[in-house]
Amino acid sequence: MDRRSFLHGSAALTGLSLLQGCAKHVAAPALATASALPFYDLPGNILPIRADVDRIFRITVCLRPFRAVGPRMDVVKVGDKTVVTNYGHGGSGWSLSWGSADVVVRKAMEAAPGVKECAVIGAGALGLTTALTAQRMGYKVTIYAKETAPYIRSVRATGSWTPDSRVALSTDAPADFAALWERMARTSWTMYNSYLGVAGSPIEWTDRYQLSDDPPRDRNRPVDPNTAADPADRTKQVHEFARYSQSIADITPKSKDMPPGSTPFPTKYVRRNSSLTFNVAGYAKLLMQEFYLAGGRLEMREFHSPNEFASLKESVVFCCTGYDSKALWSDQSIVPVRGQIAWLIPQEGVNYGIGYKGLNLLARRDGIVVQPNIGGEEEGWNDSNETPDHAAAEAGVKILQELYSRMEPIIAKRGTKVTA
Ligand SMILES: Cc1cc2nc3c(=O)[nH]c(=O)nc-3n(C[C@H](O)[C@H](O)[C@H](O)COP(=O)(O)OP(=O)(O)OC[C@H]3O[C@@H](n4cnc5c(N)ncnc54)[C@H](O)[C@@H]3O)c2cc1C
């Protein structure tokens, strides 16, 4: 067998071959184990990712705007302006954006009834969705921002449905935040569903595989950092991040432990689930287009203090300035949580995600996200350094190389050739 050729090795093909009476191409172990999965639930083709450091086409760094008490969604009077803040969503900004926008726009309508014109400061995940939500509720909207995509932090996100990723600390979040979070998550979920099947697939469902040689852990269950096998689990968890995903279990697909041999992955344990992928480059463009189509205006402008909002013609102002709110509002409650991504050139037909040895990977249409997360959720805590770390980026790709090298003999043994 030519070991250099790409090989499918997917249980889907194995199962299909079986049904079609082509069992001679399938090695015995795969045959026995793949049958443990029902035919209708076989994984699709799992093609290897071309994990070569030469395929890194950019390295980005982003700061999660984390607040221990959760996002700031307050109505404040600044001079004669009604200002509604909408910032501090940690690692959940895209996921909660529509729900958060819905909350703040309703607050503005209540605080300043009858006003039909508003300003939105910021054009990131929160600014764009707030502007669109305000338009849908009848406002004439102008966005004021010092930068737009592709220069803003939001476009440097992983692009995954992660509504309770570093969104608050369980010790500090107010008791009623859990209900507010659930409301935001459900509203966002409904909105994201409305972008499925749209041309260019700005939002789509993809499979994720958690790979480990030790039994996979439940994210909500603490692990012993002294004995954990996964490097990410070896980090002492100093902060107790709030977890709310249980309250939306009814809309969240369940994880499934894959029977041995049902995937080409080489680890002892493979846990699969399905989640939403946000192809952020296209999605952010689409949101901007929708904003213009609905009559929105954009003005490039920087504010150095909330007092400068006085110069705006609009009396209602939504402030969606993300991490920069720390300086703008002198808000010391914001902690930067740094995250870096190495972007590999996207590959046709590769659209899955994996978690392996502290590495998060998500193959999107606009790039393959390789995110070392060795420190787990503590990674990047209180680190505002936005300079890319090239060595860390390459180290992440090398973890992938090791994984795919381990995979090669398994795929070869399965004997299912690929002409990708
Ligand atoms: C590595 C990484 C991965 C992530 N992955 C995910 C994920 O998979 N899913 C998810 O839901 N979330 C994820 N996040 C979190 C998410 O990216 C953030 O929560 C989100 O981008 C915050 O958006 P924002 O609109 O508040 O801020 P920003 O994107 O920073 O936008 C702020 C806007 O305000 C403007 N602005 C700022 N200050 C001023 C000023 N003074 N005057 C005028 N304009 C101003 C900026 O120019 C910009 O337009 C991730 C974060 C990181 C770091």
Side-chain angles (χ1 to χ4, degrees), residues 1 10-32 34-35 412-417:
M1 172 163 297
S10 75
L13 279 187
T14 307
L16 271 172
S17 307
L18 255 177
L19 280 183
Q20 291 160 358
C22 298
K24 64 180 174 148
H25 293 301
V26 181
L31 208 162
S35 62
K413 197 169 168 192
R414 286 165 155 245
T416 330
K417 250 191 174 167

Side-chain angles (χ1 to χ4, degrees), residues 225-308:
N226 300 314
T227 55
D230 192 319
D233 293 339
R234 272 187 236 135
T235 315
K236 274 218 161 43
Q237 201 73 29
V238 179
H239 301 96
E240 199 188 309
F241 292 96
R243 306 272 184 233
Y244 302 111
S245 50
Q246 204 46 42
S247 66
I248 57 165
D250 58 310
I251 54 168
T252 311
K254 309 275 170 294
S255 298
K256 175 173 284 184
D257 289 323
M258 303 299 277
S262 59
T263 74
F265 291 119
T267 50
K268 192 165 173 200
Y269 299 94
V270 178
R271 179 171 280 181
R272 179 185 68 185
N273 75 352
S274 301
S275 192
L276 290 184
T277 289
F278 312 149
N279 292 300
V280 174
Y283 176 54
K285 277 198 176 71
L286 177 62
L287 296 184
M288 205 65 218
Q289 282 163 7
E290 289 185 354
F291 173 70
Y292 286 132
L293 272 175
R297 279 186 60 246
L298 169 71
E299 198 177 310
M300 301 311 292
R301 184 162 167 193
E302 179 169 3
F303 299 86
H304 303 93
S305 133
N307 294 331
E308 290 181 17

Side-chain angles (χ1 to χ4, degrees), residues 355-415:
Y356 175 66
K357 291 192 174 172
L359 186 88
N360 289 332
L361 173 137
L362 183 60
R364 283 172 20 191
R365 286 169 192 255
D366 47 3
I368 299 175
V369 170
V370 181
Q371 195 180 0
N373 208 25
I374 307 299
E377 285 192 302
E378 297 287 339
E379 174 104 7
W381 178 265
N382 206 11
D383 182 354
S384 59
N385 179 1
E386 291 189 85
T387 307
D389 176 343
H390 288 257
E394 293 192 5
V397 175
K398 284 181 181 146
I399 294 177
L400 285 178
Q401 288 175 359
E402 183 262 336
L403 172 71
Y404 289 112
S405 306
R406 281 177 73 187
M407 232 164 114
E408 190 184 359
I410 298 172
I411 295 176
K413 197 169 168 192
R414 286 165 155 245

